[in-house]
Amino acid sequence: MSLDQAASNVQPGLIVLKVEKTIPGRKQDLPQGSQLFARSSAVIGSERLYLNVSQGIAPDGTEFTLRGVILDRYSEPGLAARVVSDGKTLARASSEGLNTFGQQLLEVAPGEGAAAAAAQAGAGAVLSEQAQEDRATNGRPAYVVVADPQPGVVQVEATF
């Protein structure tokens, strides 16, 4: 099988893989030209794009369900990929920017009255939003890998 276009762990939807040659099976063959659809994932620190196949379409239009994983040509799980964002730089920039903005709002706010209350509420909202985002990601950065087009192998685990 082959990945014919670049794919990442953050793209929406399923990733399409093409069956390059007929794969013989115990009950039936997986014909050349079939398309397999897979969900992607990545593991922080790994330069691999992991793909789990869940369904496919044969060249004649017959849809089928299967469960399998994609291996590289050396039978290693996943496909070779490159890290395009470890998320740390973006997370630091976002965090610093929001914190600075919130602090500046507090510093420029007049000492009393409605304007001061509004500025303080705005600053509090900015700082609170950043804290919520940090809690939601548990401090983990957005990790993005991209695999360029390449050949691979599908290891079929089950058919339905």
Side-chain angles (χ1 to χ4, degrees), residues 36-52:
L36 304 178
F37 301 96
R39 297 205 183 281
S40 63
S41 63
V43 175
I44 292 177
S46 172
E47 293 184 341
R48 310 287 292 170
L49 179 66
Y50 299 98
L51 298 167
N52 291 303

PDB file of all heavy atoms in Angstrom, residues 36-52:
ATOM      1  N   LEU A  36      -7.949   2.364   1.384  1.00  0.00           N
ATOM      2  CA  LEU A  36      -8.107   2.107   2.814  1.00  0.00           C
ATOM      3  C   LEU A  36      -8.195   3.437   3.529  1.00  0.00           C
ATOM      4  O   LEU A  36      -7.519   4.398   3.147  1.00  0.00           O
ATOM      5  CB  LEU A  36      -6.929   1.294   3.347  1.00  0.00           C
ATOM      6  CG  LEU A  36      -6.654  -0.040   2.662  1.00  0.00           C
ATOM      7  CD1 LEU A  36      -5.422  -0.695   3.265  1.00  0.00           C
ATOM      8  CD2 LEU A  36      -7.860  -0.955   2.754  1.00  0.00           C
ATOM      9  N   PHE A  37      -9.008   3.492   4.570  1.00  0.00           N
ATOM     10  CA  PHE A  37      -9.190   4.728   5.325  1.00  0.00           C
ATOM     11  C   PHE A  37      -8.721   4.506   6.749  1.00  0.00           C
ATOM     12  O   PHE A  37      -9.116   3.529   7.392  1.00  0.00           O
ATOM     13  CB  PHE A  37     -10.659   5.155   5.284  1.00  0.00           C
ATOM     14  CG  PHE A  37     -11.144   5.370   3.883  1.00  0.00           C
ATOM     15  CD1 PHE A  37     -11.821   4.367   3.209  1.00  0.00           C
ATOM     16  CD2 PHE A  37     -10.887   6.558   3.220  1.00  0.00           C
ATOM     17  CE1 PHE A  37     -12.264   4.548   1.909  1.00  0.00           C
ATOM     18  CE2 PHE A  37     -11.319   6.746   1.917  1.00  0.00           C
ATOM     19  CZ  PHE A  37     -12.007   5.741   1.253  1.00  0.00           C
ATOM     20  N   ALA A  38      -7.882   5.429   7.230  1.00  0.00           N
ATOM     21  CA  ALA A  38      -7.244   5.245   8.532  1.00  0.00           C
ATOM     22  C   ALA A  38      -7.310   6.510   9.381  1.00  0.00           C
ATOM     23  O   ALA A  38      -7.335   7.625   8.861  1.00  0.00           O
ATOM     24  CB  ALA A  38      -5.783   4.855   8.331  1.00  0.00           C
ATOM     25  N   ARG A  39      -7.336   6.300  10.676  1.00  0.00           N
ATOM     26  CA  ARG A  39      -7.212   7.401  11.639  1.00  0.00           C
ATOM     27  C   ARG A  39      -5.742   7.512  12.019  1.00  0.00           C
ATOM     28  O   ARG A  39      -5.046   6.512  12.117  1.00  0.00           O
ATOM     29  CB  ARG A  39      -8.032   7.121  12.890  1.00  0.00           C
ATOM     30  CG  ARG A  39      -9.505   7.035  12.608  1.00  0.00           C
ATOM     31  CD  ARG A  39     -10.344   7.359  13.832  1.00  0.00           C
ATOM     32  NE  ARG A  39     -11.748   7.206  13.538  1.00  0.00           N
ATOM     33  CZ  ARG A  39     -12.479   8.098  12.877  1.00  0.00           C
ATOM     34  NH1 ARG A  39     -11.933   9.197  12.433  1.00  0.00           N
ATOM     35  NH2 ARG A  39     -13.764   7.893  12.648  1.00  0.00           N
ATOM     36  N   SER A  40      -5.308   8.747  12.247  1.00  0.00           N
ATOM     37  CA  SER A  40      -3.893   8.980  12.541  1.00  0.00           C
ATOM     38  C   SER A  40      -3.691   9.386  13.989  1.00  0.00           C
ATOM     39  O   SER A  40      -4.584   9.907  14.640  1.00  0.00           O
ATOM     40  CB  SER A  40      -3.338  10.068  11.620  1.00  0.00           C
ATOM     41  OG  SER A  40      -4.014  11.288  11.860  1.00  0.00           O
ATOM     42  N   SER A  41      -2.470   9.155  14.455  1.00  0.00           N
ATOM     43  CA  SER A  41      -2.073   9.594  15.794  1.00  0.00           C
ATOM     44  C   SER A  41      -0.561   9.730  15.825  1.00  0.00           C
ATOM     45  O   SER A  41       0.137   9.295  14.916  1.00  0.00           O
ATOM     46  CB  SER A  41      -2.546   8.604  16.864  1.00  0.00           C
ATOM     47  OG  SER A  41      -1.941   7.349  16.679  1.00  0.00           O
ATOM     48  N   ALA A  42      -0.083  10.357  16.880  1.00  0.00           N
ATOM     49  CA  ALA A  42       1.360  10.528  17.074  1.00  0.00           C
ATOM     50  C   ALA A  42       1.653  10.379  18.562  1.00  0.00           C
ATOM     51  O   ALA A  42       0.768  10.548  19.405  1.00  0.00           O
ATOM     52  CB  ALA A  42       1.825  11.887  16.572  1.00  0.00           C
ATOM     53  N   VAL A  43       2.889  10.078  18.852  1.00  0.00           N
ATOM     54  CA  VAL A  43       3.348   9.962  20.231  1.00  0.00           C
ATOM     55  C   VAL A  43       4.424  11.020  20.432  1.00  0.00           C
ATOM     56  O   VAL A  43       5.369  11.103  19.639  1.00  0.00           O
ATOM     57  CB  VAL A  43       3.921   8.552  20.499  1.00  0.00           C
ATOM     58  CG1 VAL A  43       4.506   8.467  21.897  1.00  0.00           C
ATOM     59  CG2 VAL A  43       2.853   7.490  20.279  1.00  0.00           C
ATOM     60  N   ILE A  44       4.263  11.818  21.466  1.00  0.00           N
ATOM     61  CA  ILE A  44       5.225  12.881  21.729  1.00  0.00           C
ATOM     62  C   ILE A  44       6.625  12.299  21.812  1.00  0.00           C
ATOM     63  O   ILE A  44       6.864  11.316  22.515  1.00  0.00           O
ATOM     64  CB  ILE A  44       4.870  13.646  23.019  1.00  0.00           C
ATOM     65  CG1 ILE A  44       3.575  14.422  22.800  1.00  0.00           C
ATOM     66  CG2 ILE A  44       5.986  14.591  23.435  1.00  0.00           C
ATOM     67  CD1 ILE A  44       3.068  15.153  24.012  1.00  0.00           C
ATOM     68  N   GLY A  45       7.533  12.894  21.050  1.00  0.00           N
ATOM     69  CA  GLY A  45       8.917  12.455  21.029  1.00  0.00           C
ATOM     70  C   GLY A  45       9.242  11.496  19.902  1.00  0.00           C
ATOM     71  O   GLY A  45      10.399  11.185  19.662  1.00  0.00           O
ATOM     72  N   SER A  46       8.223  11.022  19.189  1.00  0.00           N
ATOM     73  CA  SER A  46       8.438  10.063  18.105  1.00  0.00           C
ATOM     74  C   SER A  46       8.274  10.749  16.746  1.00  0.00           C
ATOM     75  O   SER A  46       7.390  11.576  16.571  1.00  0.00           O
ATOM     76  CB  SER A  46       7.423   8.922  18.215  1.00  0.00           C
ATOM     77  OG  SER A  46       7.498   8.087  17.082  1.00  0.00           O
ATOM     78  N   GLU A  47       9.117  10.383  15.816  1.00  0.00           N
ATOM     79  CA  GLU A  47       9.007  10.897  14.455  1.00  0.00           C
ATOM     80  C   GLU A  47       8.292   9.867  13.580  1.00  0.00           C
ATOM     81  O   GLU A  47       8.790   9.448  12.539  1.00  0.00           O
ATOM     82  CB  GLU A  47      10.388  11.247  13.906  1.00  0.00           C
ATOM     83  CG  GLU A  47      11.019  12.408  14.632  1.00  0.00           C
ATOM     84  CD  GLU A  47      12.352  12.832  14.043  1.00  0.00           C
ATOM     85  OE1 GLU A  47      12.980  12.037  13.311  1.00  0.00           O
ATOM     86  OE2 GLU A  47      12.762  13.965  14.326  1.00  0.00           O
ATOM     87  N   ARG A  48       7.105   9.437  14.032  1.00  0.00           N
ATOM     88  CA  ARG A  48       6.297   8.443  13.329  1.00  0.00           C
ATOM     89  C   ARG A  48       4.852   8.929  13.288  1.00  0.00           C
ATOM     90  O   ARG A  48       4.361   9.549  14.231  1.00  0.00           O
ATOM     91  CB  ARG A  48       6.325   7.088  14.046  1.00  0.00           C
ATOM     92  CG  ARG A  48       7.673   6.547  14.414  1.00  0.00           C
ATOM     93  CD  ARG A  48       8.473   6.035  13.282  1.00  0.00           C
ATOM     94  NE  ARG A  48       7.908   4.834  12.691  1.00  0.00           N
ATOM     95  CZ  ARG A  48       8.343   4.315  11.551  1.00  0.00           C
ATOM     96  NH1 ARG A  48       9.315   4.886  10.885  1.00  0.00           N
ATOM     97  NH2 ARG A  48       7.806   3.229  11.059  1.00  0.00           N
ATOM     98  N   LEU A  49       4.182   8.619  12.176  1.00  0.00           N
ATOM     99  CA  LEU A  49       2.749   8.847  12.066  1.00  0.00           C
ATOM    100  C   LEU A  49       2.099   7.470  12.140  1.00  0.00           C
ATOM    101  O   LEU A  49       2.359   6.607  11.298  1.00  0.00           O
ATOM    102  CB  LEU A  49       2.388   9.524  10.741  1.00  0.00           C
ATOM    103  CG  LEU A  49       0.892   9.780  10.523  1.00  0.00           C
ATOM    104  CD1 LEU A  49       0.362  10.805  11.532  1.00  0.00           C
ATOM    105  CD2 LEU A  49       0.638  10.270   9.104  1.00  0.00           C
ATOM    106  N   TYR A  50       1.307   7.244  13.176  1.00  0.00           N
ATOM    107  CA  TYR A  50       0.660   5.954  13.381  1.00  0.00           C
ATOM    108  C   TYR A  50      -0.720   5.976  12.742  1.00  0.00           C
ATOM    109  O   TYR A  50      -1.466   6.940  12.903  1.00  0.00           O
ATOM    110  CB  TYR A  50       0.576   5.623  14.872  1.00  0.00           C
ATOM    111  CG  TYR A  50       1.950   5.526  15.488  1.00  0.00           C
ATOM    112  CD1 TYR A  50       2.507   6.588  16.184  1.00  0.00           C
ATOM    113  CD2 TYR A  50       2.710   4.379  15.314  1.00  0.00           C
ATOM    114  CE1 TYR A  50       3.785   6.506  16.716  1.00  0.00           C
ATOM    115  CE2 TYR A  50       3.994   4.285  15.848  1.00  0.00           C
ATOM    116  CZ  TYR A  50       4.522   5.356  16.542  1.00  0.00           C
ATOM    117  OH  TYR A  50       5.789   5.275  17.063  1.00  0.00           O
ATOM    118  N   LEU A  51      -1.044   4.909  12.002  1.00  0.00           N
ATOM    119  CA  LEU A  51      -2.311   4.841  11.278  1.00  0.00           C
ATOM    120  C   LEU A  51      -3.030   3.536  11.611  1.00  0.00           C
ATOM    121  O   LEU A  51      -2.432   2.461  11.539  1.00  0.00           O
ATOM    122  CB  LEU A  51      -2.060   4.919   9.773  1.00  0.00           C
ATOM    123  CG  LEU A  51      -1.404   6.217   9.289  1.00  0.00           C
ATOM    124  CD1 LEU A  51      -0.913   6.069   7.861  1.00  0.00           C
ATOM    125  CD2 LEU A  51      -2.388   7.356   9.388  1.00  0.00           C
ATOM    126  N   ASN A  52      -4.307   3.651  11.946  1.00  0.00           N
ATOM    127  CA  ASN A  52      -5.164   2.496  12.220  1.00  0.00           C
ATOM    128  C   ASN A  52      -6.273   2.473  11.180  1.00  0.00           C
ATOM    129  O   ASN A  52      -7.109   3.375  11.130  1.00  0.00           O
ATOM    130  CB  ASN A  52      -5.767   2.573  13.619  1.00  0.00           C
ATOM    131  CG  ASN A  52      -4.717   2.392  14.681  1.00  0.00           C
ATOM    132  OD1 ASN A  52      -4.026   1.389  14.703  1.00  0.00           O
ATOM    133  ND2 ASN A  52      -4.589   3.371  15.557  1.00  0.00           N
TER     134      ASN A  52
END
